[in-house]
Amino acid sequence: MASITIHSSSTVIPSHPTPTGAFSVSECDQYRAWTHLPSVYVYKSPAAEVIIVESLKTSLSQILVPFYPLAGRLHWLPGGRLELDCCAAGALFVEASTNAKLEDYGDFAPSDAVRELVPSVDYNSPIEELPLLLFQVTRFSCGGVVIGVANCHTVVDGASAVTFINSWASMARGEKTVETILQPLHDRKFLMPEKPLRPPRFDHVEFTKPPPLILGSSNTEEEAKKETTSALLKLTKEQIEKLKKRANSNLTNQTMDVADEVQPRPYSRFEAITGHMWVCACKARNTGESRQPTVIRIPIDVRRRMKPPIPENFSGNSSFVVSTPECEFGELMSQPLSYAAGKIREGTWKMTGEYAQSAVDYLAGQDDFNRLRTSFHSKVPVQASFWGNPNLSIGSWMSFPFL
């Protein structure tokens, strides 16, 4: 793969004065990875020809006014907690080029080559110096352009990040202005603990119970050291419908929390696909031990589950993790797909607004967040549980409103 040539690196700050000072993030923000989530946006020629770097920088400077927390910096508080300093320090903007063609990158599956299209973050630097947003515009010899984005998970989740990108894109295209975009709502009051602090009303095993180990192992050190690879496995609409049909062919009331006479809701495409992935993972990992326990960890967006619902323009993290009931490899592989889909539903349906508020109360009572906070960056050591083999951690971007 051809090398990337960096031409310039600059800091883009808000175009107008923005609110300053300490900004308290919610408990939902606190336990998210404080590292950066990478993504790439690929533009083929001739559409890429309209991408002008100066207009991107100008519109970025403008969009950082309503999205001013993203131009701030984090700093540590006692107990491994974080606070956001709204200081208008800005976002990093990198201009680059390569003699490669877009087709050289295939389907842009995560790889070392693709990661070079996203600005790298030096996690050895003090956290107060790290931008929360980083961008890299790379021009290809074929005329294509890739915009690589790295955003800090403490301040945005996937839905919030996509809302920001969509708003920036509409302004860069001249379709909207700062005044006409959907204004972000930064107030974290929706996911703050009540005062005085109440004890959690549920047993939050997703935080308190470590996931199952491989039978015969006493820890996860050996599995955590193994090299991982990435792949994009594409499902057609027809294949998804086939999975849903399989999952619903044995649908029963076993996972319903309503009266037996009520017809259960058909399994969704998420439940069917996730259940299928779980079964496939068990088959791929199976070493002949059918009694191997396994669980899935799933983040659930609670925007619509809270009472009252959190507004759609909320700009922070709004997802909590849940764990499925523990199963065995043999059970998942021998039962119809409805069994795995039912276990997915058992885990996700318990995430009601009341359960989410209880999770907030549980997190607010923790003295040390370091043991809860996971990381998506292998070079940043964490104390949180390892969710690899024999378990899974699965998130869905199927409902994100990419424009």
Side-chain angles (χ1 to χ4, degrees):
M1 194 67 67
S3 61
I4 305 294
T5 300
I6 302 298
H7 298 290
S8 68
S9 179
S10 58
T11 299
V12 178
I13 63 174
S15 60
H16 293 84
T18 56
T20 59
F23 185 95
S24 297
V25 297
S26 74
E27 304 304 317
C28 190
D29 296 313
Q30 290 287 359
Y31 88 95
R32 310 307 302 184
W34 62 269
T35 48
H36 296 68
L37 293 179
S39 59
V40 293
Y41 296 80
V42 181
Y43 300 88
K44 298 180 179 179
S45 182
E49 295 174 2
V50 302
I51 296 179
I52 302 173
V53 170
E54 285 307 313
S55 67
L56 288 177
K57 294 172 73 172
T58 298
S59 54
L60 175 59
S61 178
Q62 294 169 343
I63 197 64
L64 285 177
V65 175
F67 284 90
Y68 65 91
L70 299 180
R73 297 293 185 268
L74 294 173
H75 64 261
W76 292 109
L77 296 176
R81 292 176 179 270
L82 289 163
E83 187 175 61
L84 177 59
D85 179 16
C86 292
C87 56
L92 181 69
F93 193 98
V94 177
E95 298 177 55
S97 67
T98 176
N99 59 6
K101 299 178 180 180
L102 290 177
E103 62 190 45
D104 296 333
Y105 285 74
D107 55 12
F108 283 83
S111 65
D112 290 340
V114 172
R115 290 185 186 95
E116 289 185 359
L117 300 174
V118 179
S120 61
V121 182
D122 181 10
Y123 291 108
N124 292 318
S125 300
I127 196 171
E128 296 84 1
E129 299 177 4
L130 299 180
L132 304 181
L133 276 178
L134 303 94
F135 303 95
Q136 179 175 314
V137 178
T138 305
R139 292 195 177 275
F140 284 68
S141 62
C142 60
V145 171
V146 170
I147 299 179
V149 182
N151 49 63
C152 181
H153 207 343
T154 297
V155 289
V156 291
D157 59 11
S160 299
V162 170
T163 297
F164 170 82
I165 291 294
N166 287 344
S167 299
W168 178 31
S170 65
M171 288 182 58
R173 293 192 297 262
E175 298 169 355
K176 293 187 178 181
T177 66
V178 170
E179 292 74 26
T180 59
I181 64 166
L182 178 65
Q183 297 299 306
L185 179 62
H186 303 305
D187 193 340
R188 289 339 197 232
K189 65 181 180 181
F190 308 99
L191 294 169
M192 289 291 196
E194 297 183 5
K195 294 183 179 180
L197 181 63
R198 301 181 301 177
R201 281 138 287 163
F202 296 89
D203 181 14
H204 291 279
V205 293
E206 61 271 15
F207 297 123
T208 61
K209 184 180 179 181
L213 297 171
I214 292 179
L215 293 178
S217 300
S218 59
N219 57 59
T220 61
E221 291 182 6
E222 183 176 346
E223 284 297 317
K225 290 179 181 178
K226 291 183 177 180
E227 182 180 356
T228 59
T229 58
S230 301
L232 294 181
L233 306 176
K234 300 178 182 179
L235 293 175
T236 65
K237 181 179 180 180
E238 291 72 24
Q239 289 171 324
I240 293 174
E241 288 304 314
K242 185 177 180 180
L243 284 176
K244 287 180 62 178
K245 185 176 181 180
R246 281 180 50 198
N248 287 297
S249 62
N250 299 90
L251 186 63
T252 69
N253 288 319
Q254 65 183 26
T255 62
M256 300 295 291
D257 55 0
V258 294
D260 290 342
E261 62 269 14
V262 177
Q263 177 66 30
R265 191 192 73 186
Y267 290 122
S268 66
R269 60 177 179 169
F270 172 77
E271 292 165 334
I273 294 173
T274 303
H276 179 65
M277 291 174 63
W278 198 5
V279 173
C280 289
C282 292
K283 290 180 178 179
R285 294 165 167 175
N286 187 29
T287 58
E289 181 52 79
S290 63
R291 298 188 63 185
Q292 171 65 56
T294 175
V295 299
I296 294 186
R297 187 176 191 252
I298 304 171
I300 303 295
D301 190 339
V302 300
R303 278 175 167 84
R304 298 179 181 178
R305 303 192 184 206
M306 301 298 288
K307 294 183 179 180
I310 298 175
E312 290 297 320
N313 59 335
F314 179 66
S315 67
N317 285 282
S318 63
S319 62
F320 288 96
V321 293
V322 292
S323 298
T324 62
E326 188 174 297
C327 300
E328 294 181 353
F329 276 19
E331 293 174 327
L332 292 164
M333 293 188 295
S334 62
Q335 297 282 349
L337 182 55
S338 59
Y339 180 82
K343 295 300 180 183
I344 301 296
R345 178 171 291 186
E346 283 187 63
T348 58
W349 278 27
K350 70 180 179 183
M351 182 56 76
T352 61
E354 186 180 8
Y355 192 91
Q357 186 60 54
S358 177
V360 169
D361 296 333
Y362 171 82
L363 292 170
Q366 301 308 298
D367 295 327
D368 184 6
F369 257 84
N370 290 316
R371 69 177 184 83
L372 297 173
R373 186 177 289 117
T374 56
S375 174
F376 293 94
H377 195 287
S378 60
K379 295 182 180 179
V380 177
V382 296
Q383 299 177 22
S385 298
F386 173 73
W387 279 87
N389 190 15
N391 310 294
L392 290 174
S393 183
I394 294 181
S396 171
W397 284 23
M398 288 191 293
S399 60
F400 285 0
F402 289 102
L403 297 180

